[in-house]
Amino acid sequence: MIFTGSAVALVTPFNEDNTPNFEKIKELVEYHIANGTDAIVATGTTGEASTMTDEEQLEVIKCIVDTVNKRIPVIAGASTNDTRHSISLARGAQDMGADALLIITPYYNKANRTGLKAHFKTIADAVDLPIILYNVPSRTGVNIAPDLVAELANECENIVAIKEASGDIAQVAEVARLVPDDFAIYSGNDDSITPLLSLGGSGVISVLANVCPQQTHDLVAKFLDGDVKGSCKIQLELKALIDALFIEVNPVPVKTALNLLGFEIGHLRLPLGEMNPKNLEVLKQELINAGLDVKQVAELEVK
């Protein structure tokens, strides 16, 4: 088990010159460790990895690994829609000291089942780290079928978990039915953490945790400790904020939210743009409703 609980899908702060802000990354890492986060996912979707060079991704991973210093696991997003490129990134992340890898389904070229299985197995064979499959068909156009997840879990010793973001709870149940008992299932959807835990899930890889780290940790911890009602209560209390954090494509709202909360993490990289003003007002109000201290700051500048 790589982790149980809440892993934050960490944003990547940027400087005014559009380079990663390593000092701010260190601050965020310390904030999360102090506020209950159980693991950190670097350079994933929320971290804007798709707009970063390989060198930038590996530098960010190394910064997070060094700052964490083995206090909690660091999981590196290290995948593209090109198997050879993904292997290069995965080996680089391993060299940087990551504890595990998050590998997404290839996007755009939409691999068939044979190619999809070979893609994951080839990457798994190329590294020594444990791998979390990442299933998010809304972004990639490809769904990992439950029986394929089970095949990979049984045939690849280091494919040990899945981040399930299909939004299909019936699919999650089928994955849970088919995979080995020691295979971990993590929620990739903040609005359905408690339901996934009820099917044997081990935690969440969370966008919400960027702004509510302790509450996200507590939501999972309560369920795993047997307090199902307590977990459900937190899930429902945070539902409106979660909806606001996904009112536009991730990570636009969550980076905006962090700036509104005074974290000063900088702008988004194109092609992501600033929020629609009406959506921004909804986000501000839900942050306030959640008891968070919203600062009066300008919208994100896009560069």
Side-chain angles (χ1 to χ4, degrees):
M1 186 72 68
I2 299 166
F3 76 96
T4 58
S6 169
V8 64
L10 195 69
V11 300
T12 301
F14 293 118
N15 294 305
E16 284 300 312
D17 64 358
N18 213 25
T19 57
N21 185 334
F22 295 104
E23 290 306 311
K24 190 63 65 173
I25 290 171
K26 294 174 186 178
E27 290 179 21
L28 291 177
V29 168
E30 295 298 342
Y31 168 73
H32 280 285
I33 291 175
N35 285 277
T37 293
D38 300 290
I40 292 178
V41 175
T43 61
T45 304
T46 309
E48 295 178 83
S50 59
T51 64
M52 297 168 70
T53 65
D54 290 1
E55 291 75 18
E56 286 176 327
Q57 288 190 54
L58 296 177
E59 287 171 355
V60 168
I61 292 166
K62 183 68 161 58
C63 178
I64 293 171
V65 166
D66 289 349
T67 306
V68 168
N69 193 24
K70 300 297 182 183
R71 288 176 286 176
I72 58 176
V74 176
I75 302 155
S79 50
T80 70
N81 63 342
D82 170 7
T83 305
R84 290 177 301 172
H85 188 185
S86 298
I87 289 171
S88 176
L89 276 175
R91 286 174 170 166
Q94 179 172 278
D95 291 343
M96 294 301 104
D99 297 295
L101 302 170
L102 181 67
I103 305 295
I104 200 168
T105 48
Y107 43 86
Y108 187 74
N109 44 22
K110 299 177 71 172
N112 60 12
R113 183 188 174 97
T114 304
L116 194 58
K117 183 175 180 179
H119 173 79
F120 287 122
K121 291 191 72 171
T122 302
I123 296 170
D125 289 343
V127 295
D128 299 320
L129 293 179
I131 288 173
I132 303 172
L133 305 174
Y134 182 12
N135 188 39
V136 57
S138 64
R139 281 187 178 269
T140 66
V142 179
N143 181 58
I144 313 177
D147 62 327
L148 178 54
V149 176
E151 285 182 25
L152 289 166
N154 286 306
E155 295 176 20
C156 301
E157 184 177 352
N158 59 331
I159 294 181
V160 300
I162 187 168
K163 176 184 177 183
E164 239 301 333
S166 66
D168 184 348
I169 200 69
Q171 172 161 308
V172 175
E174 184 68 359
V175 170
R177 186 180 75 85
L178 295 174
V179 296
D181 290 343
D182 59 354
F183 187 87
I185 303 174
Y186 298 113
S187 178
N189 298 102
D190 285 316
D191 61 359
S192 54
I193 303 169
T194 302
L196 183 136
L197 293 173
S198 74
L199 294 169
S202 299
V204 61
I205 296 176
S206 173
V207 174
L208 171 68
N210 280 281
V211 297
C212 294
Q214 189 66 58
Q215 295 97 315
T216 311
H217 164 86
D218 291 348
L219 189 162
V220 179
K222 283 182 181 294
F223 189 98
L224 297 180
D225 288 341
D227 184 4
V228 176
K229 287 186 176 179
S231 175
C232 187
K233 182 174 185 290
I234 297 172
Q235 177 79 81
L236 296 177
E237 286 174 348
L238 293 173
K239 177 64 164 57
L241 176 58
I242 292 166
D243 289 346
L245 289 171
F246 291 91
I247 198 169
E248 294 188 13
V249 67
N250 180 52
V252 174
V254 72
K255 287 196 83 173
T256 305
L258 285 167
N259 278 325
L260 289 169
L261 296 172
F263 284 89
E264 298 180 358
I265 60 165
H267 51 76
L268 295 149
R269 278 186 172 179
L270 288 170
L272 299 181
E274 65 185 54
M275 291 185 71
N276 175 285
K278 290 183 179 179
N279 291 338
L280 179 60
E281 290 306 313
V282 172
L283 177 62
K284 286 179 180 178
Q285 189 57 55
E286 293 305 336
L287 290 167
I288 293 167
N289 292 346
L292 299 172
D293 184 16
V294 175
K295 312 295 182 184
Q296 295 302 315
V297 297
E299 289 83 359
L300 285 173
E301 181 184 4
V302 181
K303 295 184 179 181

